[in-house]
């Protein structure tokens, strides 16, 4: 345990939801170090929360607790779980949002947060982030053993891996997952997949929304202002960007869900 | 004292206002643990800040200092105060924003922040958050006694309790206070008030903006997508929500200030 | 060293960029106290980031590390630097964003972050915030000497001082730098410059967007609602504001870059 608890939620920062969770954590684990990652996940967007978790997880020290509350099914019968994987802990609803934890180490351990001993009382129907998830994260940060929190879960819900497919060894088809704040379009295509197609990045071209981009750039400021470029971004995925400008604005709103084709030239 | 200082302001997060306050706090109380609750209170909206404070206060440990700077009258003659109530401390302008502190324990102690010894020097006319409130919170977190900060205040400004009224034991009329980020409409009607009308929640109906909702649900995902439901939310108040959708978008902008009637069926 | 690391970035709070930087910091310096100043600097706006840094720097204790990542040229040949000035440390790209550090003490020391020993491996082309700047800040917070991080820089890039000019001792012409969240228009004119014109603030008038404001007020709530006023704000600069209203909304979008003339009456 190092006492670090990261928070990823879709609660926004306009009300007291996140503040109440922080109070619960500090009441149980006064020494905890709470780290805001984001509270601006679009409401209920499990896949986006999972990507954010994936992009930060490896940078945290062993023993960190990642608390992810994007939970559109709160109050229904979905399970609440805690996972130990690759030396870290993950707490959240069993709706696939913790996929990066399962992916990081196949020998993960997953437990349901079923022991009411470790819940706030009374548990509300509508705010398990405060009443079930925050207490679990705090107890883990304090050193309580994972298996104390409830009963073992063998088959947690996994996130579907999407519709990405390699058509041939000449061509790779993926899609944009989201536009970041700079208007960069983050795709589901990884650097490794690009390299399977060609190790020479200058021999690849990208097609998106009817536009064609030749070659994979090294960094954002490469090329004339406003020029569309493709590059491998800091998340390790192919991005479509526009130098000193927004690729999203350039290509229009359909770009956020667009198909992206990579081919050899 | 536990060193925890929570922050509720209307300063936003685009400039250095909150950052300057945090610097002042850490200069006076290096061991303080600063917890952001929200900086997105609409400008000068004292009632909203008070509700957020109410929704988080009980989740914090004894000795916590809650610093609330929503202060449209800064520079005028409104007093600056600090309050001890229910084992916690509250610092802010004397404009009613600290109402939950007065409400939590009738035997509260309130002092004016009138001793310049505990102010930053010089005190600006425009930024008491940095020059008067942040230092007071930091000194309290460090263990300075409340009564050191200035002279006793007998009658702090209280927040008017609104225009809610029970018309009969058949009917209860309240109103929406605000729409949260999910589009849930939070009302001023508490769970206790509903129970005075009927202990059987299935025998209550809610009328809002010309729509009628039968029964009080347990959780948000109850019912078909887009269906309007009423439920007691995590703040302990009646909310009007829409399953996997926004009740605010459903009912239109007038909903944020709408009258809400509860009656027996 | 006091372990405090402040963060100013243009990364926003919707993705994991800032979260990854925080993880890197806590992996290197587990005792660091990370303080969010803002992540909402408009993309690439170096001058705005520099102003925010200026507005908070003096309120932090000696030994604080200020980490500023507004870096539109990331991946190009701009240098990455760390600076010691006035008892504090500053880390960021060498594009002028650290101007307040150079301004605070002419005897500053500046070093390039050129020693790969103190970088994350591998260094990406696109995210030096995570791979170069965050590690440098963490090592400084842990007590590593500035000169260990790389080679000395004699002439860091300075921020141009703008086009402000005193036309005569009767008149001063400056401009609006930005509108804050309250719609107050912050200018590049300092209190000291006003005093050069006249020590009697009631004998000064301000002209902006064809409107004339007589006298300099003491605080925002002075005057009738909606009235335009001028005052010296908490940043120490002349602001144009509107009592209980937004001067920006009052004067229209051109106000954010408007010329401001001060003259004696």
């Amino acid at each position: 345990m190092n006492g670090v608890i990261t928070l990823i939620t879709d609660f926004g920062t306009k009300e007291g939801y996140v503040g109440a969770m922080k109070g619960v954590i500090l009441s149980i684990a006064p020494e905890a170090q709470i780290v805001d990652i984001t509270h601006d996940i679009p409401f209920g967007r499990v896949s986006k929360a999972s990507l954010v978790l994936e992009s930060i997880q490896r940078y945290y020290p062993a023993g960190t607790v990642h608390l992810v509350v994007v939970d559109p099914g709160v109050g229904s019968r979905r399970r609440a779980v805690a996972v130990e994987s690759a030396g870290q802990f993950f707490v959240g609803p069993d709706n696939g949002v913790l996929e990066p934890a399962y992916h990081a180490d196949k020998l993960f351990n997953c437990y349901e947060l079923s022991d009411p001993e470790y819940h706030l009382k009374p548990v509300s129907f509508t705010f398990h982030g405060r009443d079930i998830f925050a207490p679990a994260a705090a107890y883990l940060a304090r050193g309580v053993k994972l298996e104390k929190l409830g009963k073992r879960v063998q088959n947690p819900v996994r996130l579907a891996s999407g519709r990405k497919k390699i058509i041939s060894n000449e061509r790779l088809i993926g899609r944009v997952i989201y536009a970041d704040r700079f208007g960069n379009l983050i795709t589901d295509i990884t650097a490794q997949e690009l390299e399977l197609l060609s190790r020479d990045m200058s021999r690849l071209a990208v097609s998106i929304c009817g536009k064609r981009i030749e070659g994979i750039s090294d960094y954002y400021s490469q090329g004339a202002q406003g020029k569309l470029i493709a590059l491998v971004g800091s998340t390790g995925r192919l991005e479509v960007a526009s130098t000193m400008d927004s690729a999203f604005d350039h290509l229009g709103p359909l770009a956020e869900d667009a198909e992206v084709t990579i081919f050899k030239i």
Side-chain angles (χ1 to χ4, degrees), chain A residues 12 18 22 37 62-63 87 104 118 154 164 167 170 188 200 207 219 229 240 250 257 264:
Chain A
V18 172
K22 291 176 175 177
I37 306 295
Y118 296 99
Q154 294 295 351
K164 172 176 53 187
I167 299 296
E170 294 295 308
D188 60 357
D200 178 355
S207 165
Y219 50 87
I229 58 173
V240 173
H250 192 115
D257 197 42
K264 289 195 200 167

Side-chain angles (χ1 to χ4, degrees), chain A residues 5-8 13 18 22 33-39 60:
Chain A
I5 298 178
T6 77
L7 295 185
I8 298 172
T13 52
V18 172
K22 291 176 175 177
Q33 192 167 6
I34 298 172
V35 178
D36 292 305
I37 306 295
T38 178
H39 304 294
Y60 279 81

Side-chain angles (χ1 to χ4, degrees), chain A residues 4-147:
Chain A
V4 175
I5 298 178
T6 77
L7 295 185
I8 298 172
T9 79
D10 61 359
F11 290 138
T13 52
K14 295 188 192 309
E15 283 99 30
Y17 299 120
V18 172
M21 289 173 60
K22 291 176 175 177
V24 169
I25 288 170
L26 293 171
S27 294
I28 293 170
E31 305 298 322
Q33 192 167 6
I34 298 172
V35 178
D36 292 305
I37 306 295
T38 178
H39 304 294
D40 296 331
I41 300 292
F43 174 56
R45 191 85 67 86
V46 167
S47 58
K48 176 73 189 288
S50 177
L51 274 167
V52 170
L53 176 60
E54 183 199 79
S55 76
I56 64 126
Q57 176 242 324
R58 84 197 78 162
Y59 298 103
Y60 279 81
T64 295
V65 180
H66 300 286
L67 173 52
V68 188
V69 188
V70 175
D71 190 17
V74 62
S76 70
R77 287 193 355 219
R78 67 98 190 88
R79 292 176 293 201
V81 295
V83 180
E84 184 173 6
S85 175
Q88 299 185 338
F89 296 90
F90 303 79
V91 175
D94 182 28
N95 61 11
V97 79
L98 301 184
E99 181 63 33
Y102 310 135
H103 197 78
D105 182 355
K106 279 181 183 131
L107 299 176
F108 66 81
N109 289 309
C110 181
Y111 283 80
E112 188 175 357
L113 305 177
S114 51
D115 187 340
E117 169 99 4
Y118 296 99
H119 299 169
L120 222 62
K121 280 149 202 96
V123 169
S124 67
F125 281 107
T126 56
F127 195 5
H128 290 183
R130 179 191 66 199
D131 303 338
I132 294 179
F133 296 120
Y139 285 116
L140 288 170
R142 236 177 63 177
V144 167
K145 294 280 173 233
L146 183 67
E147 49 270 33

Side-chain angles (χ1 to χ4, degrees), chain A residues 160-212:
Chain A
S161 58
R163 57 184 166 102
K164 172 176 53 187
K165 44 188 179 293
I166 295 179
I167 299 296
S168 69
N169 62 0
E170 294 295 308
R171 216 204 300 231
L172 171 62
I173 298 181
R175 60 187 290 217
V176 173
I177 318 174
Y178 66 96
D180 75 11
R181 127 174 251 239
F182 307 117
N184 301 324
L185 303 167
I186 319 298
T187 75
D188 60 357
I189 297 166
T190 64
Q192 292 79 352
E193 290 168 335
L194 285 181
E195 285 179 7
L196 289 180
L197 213 57
S198 168
R199 313 214 61 160
D200 178 355
M201 293 284 155
S202 69
R203 294 198 50 235
L204 292 177
V206 175
S207 165
I208 177 172
C209 298
K211 305 274 182 187
R212 184 185 161 111

